[in-house]
């Protein structure tokens, strides 16, 4: 038997460059997944990192994500009002009704635009943008709020400062389209878009953290001089639940062993059971003797394989 080998030549192409592309699969490297929780229920998110990450840098990165989430939450509230009622009035005129003030001063109000919408709280001047721009602003705000929502924990999606900053840039662009002349410097939307978060004792700044924040896991503080692996081990596939809080706050309070939903379900079951026991205590009838559990021969019938037996159509207990 003789085997003949023939060489196959690739077809030549004149003036044409052929390129073959191999589909590139996205390689997901194993990372430590941190479920970060704050003081409030909605202050939680997922963050991915490596065991080689220094704790000091980890705290800084997680603080940036935490503060960016708070910024987006504030933008969502103030941005919706901006889209509906326009920019903020000067601080000394907020809360005043222009119509009542003009009537008291005996002057007439200047003509208002077609998109004017009076703010019932008197905080904004009512000069809202057109409907199409309002819809664009609300969509940008809703997308950003969803990206920063605690629902991302249920979706098992980790957050990064870069992704959240991109949503803030989209909001900035929408605001610039709606108000090309710019917003006044006292408008909260402008301050949240341009300013950096700084902790303060105000309601808006009390939850903001800085680089001195601490991260706690398993009842112990992660020391800034260590790496993450010194605390959680060398396995990159580790998932932990950590808490981020201000310096000097001490160890965070341990979580309840059951969730609020489970607690409500347990209380509802206990209340229902208590009502049933009260009904049994007030029942003086002997109708319970017809129940299967009141049959003194139920154990014998169970092992003998005899259940409820009716003879001649007469219903009666088996015996």
């Amino acid at each position: 038997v003789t085997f003949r080998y023939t060489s196959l030549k690739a077809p030549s192409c004149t003036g044409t460059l052929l390129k073959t592309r191999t589909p590139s699969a996205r390689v997901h490297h194993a990372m430590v997944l941190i479920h970060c929780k704050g003081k409030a229920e909605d202050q939680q998110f997922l963050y991915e990192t490596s065991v080689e990450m220094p704790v000091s840098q980890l705290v800084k990165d997680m603080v940036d994500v935490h503060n960016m989430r708070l910024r987006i939450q504030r933008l969502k509230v103030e941005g919706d009002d901006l889209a509906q009622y326009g920019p903020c009035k000067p601080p000394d005129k907020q809360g005043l009704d222009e119509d009542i003030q003009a009537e008291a001063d005996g002057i007439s109000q200047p003509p208002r635009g077609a998109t004017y919408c009076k703010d019932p709280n008197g905080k904004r001047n009512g000069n809202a943008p057109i409907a199409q721009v309002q819809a664009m602003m609300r969509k940008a705000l809703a997308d950003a709020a969803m990206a920063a929502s605690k629902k991302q924990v249920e979706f098992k999606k980790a957050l990064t400062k870069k992704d959240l900053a991109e949503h803030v840039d989209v909001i900035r662009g929408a605001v610039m389209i709606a108000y090309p002349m710019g917003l006044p410097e006292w408008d909260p939307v402008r301050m949240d878009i341009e300013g950096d978060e700084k902790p303060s004792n105000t309601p808006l700044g009390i939850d903001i953290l800085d680089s001195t924040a601490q991260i706690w896991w398993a009842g112990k503080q992660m020391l800034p001089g260590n790496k993450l692996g010194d605390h959680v081990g060398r396995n990159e596939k580790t998932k932990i639940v950590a808490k981020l809080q201000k310096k000097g706050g001490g160890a965070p309070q341990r979580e309840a062993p059951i969730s609020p939903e489970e607690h409500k379900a347990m209380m509802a079951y206990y209340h229902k059971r208590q009502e049933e026991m009260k009904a049994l205590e007030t029942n003086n009838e002997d109708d319970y003797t017809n129940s299967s559990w009141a049959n003194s021969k139920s154990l014998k019938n169970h092992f003998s394989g005899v259940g409820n037996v009716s003879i001649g159509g007469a219903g009666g207990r088996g015996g």
Side-chain angles (χ1 to χ4, degrees):
V1 180
T2 303
F3 296 94
R4 180 175 295 177
Y5 296 91
T6 59
S7 60
L8 299 177
K9 295 183 179 180
S12 60
C13 301
T14 304
T16 305
L17 181 62
L18 298 180
K19 294 183 179 180
T20 58
R21 293 185 178 180
T22 303
S24 59
R26 184 179 179 182
V27 180
H28 181 75
H29 300 283
M31 301 285 282
V32 178
L33 186 63
I34 301 178
H35 184 180
C36 181
K37 295 186 176 182
K39 295 190 302 181
E41 179 66 21
D42 60 340
Q43 295 179 5
Q44 53 179 304
F45 59 92
L46 296 180
Y47 186 81
E48 285 185 338
T49 186
S50 171
V51 294
E52 298 298 330
M53 174 69 69
V55 173
S56 57
Q57 183 63 36
L58 174 63
V59 170
K60 181 180 181 300
D61 295 343
M62 294 180 66
V63 164
D64 290 342
V65 175
H66 170 80
N67 292 340
M68 189 66 72
R69 291 184 68 250
L70 295 180
R71 176 189 290 191
I72 291 177
Q73 291 173 4
R74 296 193 302 269
L75 280 171
K76 179 65 172 66
V77 176
E78 296 293 342
D80 286 338
D81 290 344
L82 174 64
Q84 185 171 1
Y85 301 118
C88 267
K89 301 177 183 177
D92 58 343
K93 294 184 178 181
Q94 293 182 10
L96 301 178
D97 192 313
E98 303 93 339
D99 298 332
I100 298 178
Q101 187 70 26
E103 183 179 356
D105 296 339
I107 60 176
S108 60
Q109 287 280 35
R112 292 164 174 170
T115 60
Y116 178 82
C117 182
K118 185 176 180 180
D119 185 2
N121 297 321
K123 181 179 179 180
R124 298 184 176 272
N125 59 20
N127 297 322
I130 61 176
Q132 294 84 348
V133 177
Q134 289 186 30
M136 178 189 61
M137 291 180 59
R138 289 195 174 96
K139 184 179 185 306
L141 292 166
D143 292 344
M146 186 61 191
S149 172
K150 72 172 185 178
K151 292 184 179 179
Q152 299 299 329
V153 176
E154 302 174 5
F155 301 152
K156 299 181 180 180
K157 182 179 179 181
L159 302 185
T160 62
K161 180 183 178 181
K162 179 181 178 182
D163 293 339
L164 298 179
E166 289 178 355
H167 285 282
V168 175
D169 290 339
V170 174
I171 297 175
R172 180 185 290 107
V175 172
M176 291 178 64
I177 294 174
Y179 301 97
M181 75 294 294
L183 295 175
E185 59 182 7
W186 52 79
D187 195 293
V189 175
R190 176 176 173 177
M191 290 189 292
D192 284 330
I193 289 178
E194 298 179 354
D196 296 330
E197 295 90 345
K198 294 182 180 180
S200 63
N201 294 327
T202 62
L204 296 178
I206 194 171
D207 293 328
I208 297 175
L209 303 176
D210 55 14
S211 58
T212 63
Q214 299 173 342
I215 183 171
W216 290 72
W217 172 68
K220 297 181 180 179
Q221 179 190 353
M222 293 187 181
L223 302 179
N226 294 346
K227 293 184 177 180
L228 179 61
D230 297 334
H231 296 275
V232 303
R234 311 302 301 176
N235 187 2
E236 290 282 4
K237 296 183 180 180
T238 304
K239 179 181 179 181
I240 65 173
V241 178
K243 289 197 173 184
L244 197 63
Q245 64 177 25
K246 292 183 179 180
K247 182 180 179 180
Q253 184 179 3
R254 292 185 178 272
E255 296 184 0
I258 58 176
S259 63
E261 292 75 14
E262 293 174 339
H263 182 263
K264 291 179 182 178
M266 293 173 62
M267 293 300 295
Y269 174 79
Y270 173 76
H271 179 73
K272 180 181 178 181
R273 185 63 178 170
Q274 191 177 31
E275 294 298 323
E276 291 176 352
M277 295 302 296
K278 288 181 180 179
L280 289 176
E281 291 177 357
T282 57
N283 187 7
N284 297 323
E285 303 295 333
D286 58 355
D287 55 353
Y288 69 92
T289 56
N290 296 325
S291 303
S292 59
W293 57 266
N295 185 8
S296 60
K297 298 182 180 180
S298 59
L299 183 62
K300 175 183 176 182
N301 294 340
H302 173 74
F303 286 105
S304 62
V306 179
N308 292 336
V309 179
S310 60
I311 302 176
R317 287 198 308 234

